[in-house]
Amino acid sequence: MTHLQRRSVFRASLGPAWRSASAEAIRDAVGGRRVLITGASSGIGRATAVLLARHGAELIVLARRGQLLAALVAQIHAAGGRAEAVPCDLADPEAVAAAIATIGPQPVEIIVNAAGLSIRRSVTELVDRFDTVTRTISANYLGPVRLATGLLPATRSAAHGQLIEISTVTVDLPAPGWSAYAASKTAYDTWLRAAGPELLGDGVAVSSVHLPLVHTAGSAPTYGPRTPGLTADEAAEIIAAVIVRSPRVLIPWWARAGAAGWRLTRPLTDRVAGVLHARAFQRMGRPR
Ligand SMILES: NC(=O)c1ccc[n+]([C@@H]2O[C@H](COP(=O)([O-])OP(=O)(O)OC[C@H]3O[C@@H](n4cnc5c(N)ncnc54)[C@H](OP(=O)(O)O)[C@@H]3O)[C@@H](O)[C@H]2O)c1
């Protein structure tokens, strides 16, 4: 079986809730709508921007690397789509305030938060690299929440909108070595759980997509091409289907089952996970 065949089997194994939506349904959901995608300079966010632009979305694409955003906007314009770039470092409160001002008072109907920083470090490594904790919490939680709270008043007054978080199965199965990343993604996930009911009253639906491994520049340093996972284009199709169907959460069945199993067998599973983590870091020549 080739890598690509293995990937499509992996996609199918996620179950029917993860199926794509038809082109017509995507066009109905995003056509002519103002859609903000954060983390659009690469990986999942970029692939989602290209897909939604093809279906008529009026895109605002945000990330730090302005040149990559400009190239994306040029590609979308060349294909007849509509997009504008808003370069912004979500970790910088002033930059987020400036981005909110640039986006302006016209409601953003769909916000897809795909910006994120995933860094694998052991607790020992955090001693000298505590910036891992501050950087991940700023990019994955504080910045996206600051941006959303600035934009949501207009969306709520329009009484129609969606806020979609590109989350991760790490929230369900927080693995050793990923403490900073898992905590920051869980923070946003929990924020959405609490904020969702408040927003629903004003016609704004929230969705949390707990993605499994997706092969991108972000995941490449940790997972080689042989590890079962999705392509960025497959992840984009899933996100488009989430916009169409608006599920509250989308979690792979095996991540739900794994989380339940982990809770039931906790002391033993924690020990096994700790041993596997120590071996993996030893192989990499890094302190566990
Ligand atoms: N790949 C996976 O296996 C996987 C699995 C589950 C969930 N996810 C989630 O999916 C999202 C996208 O990940 P990816 O794999 O596509 O990674 P990626 O290719 O590294 O993309 C990450 C995006 O986030 C942006 N970003 C990072 N820090 C930022 C900041 N401070 N301010 C603004 N933008 C920032 C990056 O743009 P700039 O560098 O230009 O700022 C880039 O566009 C992340 O939230 C990640 O947690 C990924």
Side-chain angles (χ1 to χ4, degrees):
M1 206 186 270
T2 65
H3 290 172
L4 281 178
Q5 283 168 330
R6 225 178 284 137
R7 280 185 192 168
S8 62
V9 170
F10 179 74
R11 165 93 195 265
S13 78
L14 295 173
W18 292 74
R19 72 194 183 283
S20 304
S22 68
E24 200 180 15
I26 299 173
R27 190 163 287 280
D28 280 352
V30 305
R33 298 236 155 89
R34 217 170 173 225
V35 180
L36 168 67
I37 302 183
T38 72
S41 63
S42 76
I44 299 165
R46 190 184 197 286
T48 306
V50 170
L51 180 69
L52 299 188
R54 216 168 49 228
H55 290 83
E58 218 176 278
L59 286 181
I60 302 159
V61 290
L62 181 149
R64 288 168 301 184
R65 288 170 291 177
Q67 280 185 335
L68 293 183
L69 291 181
L72 170 65
V73 166
Q75 180 185 328
I76 290 172
H77 286 172
R82 282 177 296 177
E84 101 182 73
V86 178
C88 168
D89 181 352
L90 287 170
D92 175 353
E94 284 177 17
V96 175
I100 293 166
T102 304
I103 291 166
Q106 199 192 334
V108 177
E109 288 170 86
I110 303 170
I111 301 172
V112 179
N113 184 50
L117 204 55
S118 61
I119 307 177
R120 186 187 193 190
R121 289 207 209 293
S122 66
V123 174
T124 305
E125 289 173 316
L126 294 182
V127 175
D128 292 326
R129 297 298 311 270
F130 194 74
D131 63 302
T132 306
V133 178
T134 50
R135 282 166 64 210
T136 48
I137 203 78
S138 299
N140 299 348
Y141 173 61
L142 295 174
V145 170
R146 193 172 270 128
L147 182 67
T149 49
L151 297 175
L152 280 169
T155 310
R156 294 174 84 174
S157 64
H160 176 73
Q162 278 177 282
L163 173 57
I164 297 167
E165 161 66 351
I166 307 311
S167 192
T168 161
V169 293
T170 305
V171 166
D172 311 289
L173 302 166
W178 294 101
S179 57
Y181 177 63
S184 64
K185 295 300 271 190
T186 304
Y188 196 106
D189 209 65
T190 307
W191 184 78
L192 266 195
R193 281 171 62 191
E198 286 183 44
L199 302 176
L200 207 52
D202 291 331
V204 179
V206 307
S207 295
S208 222
V209 190
H210 292 208
L211 285 176
L213 174 65
V214 182
H215 290 280
T216 63
S219 63
T222 313
Y223 301 103
R226 287 181 169 278
T227 315
L230 301 168
T231 63
D233 287 339
E234 286 176 317
E237 281 174 22
I238 289 164
I239 293 162
V242 165
I243 294 173
V244 169
R245 300 191 191 108
S246 201
R248 173 58 198 87
V249 285
L250 199 54
I251 303 175
W253 63 269
W254 46 261
R256 279 187 194 277
W262 195 318
R263 271 193 298 275
L264 283 174
T265 57
R266 185 126 237 175
L268 176 66
T269 328
D270 278 357
R271 279 205 182 281
V272 172
V275 169
L276 294 177
H277 158 77
R279 281 194 192 150
F281 271 65
Q282 198 176 21
R283 270 200 305 278
M284 291 188 284
R286 289 168 55 177
R288 68 176 180 83

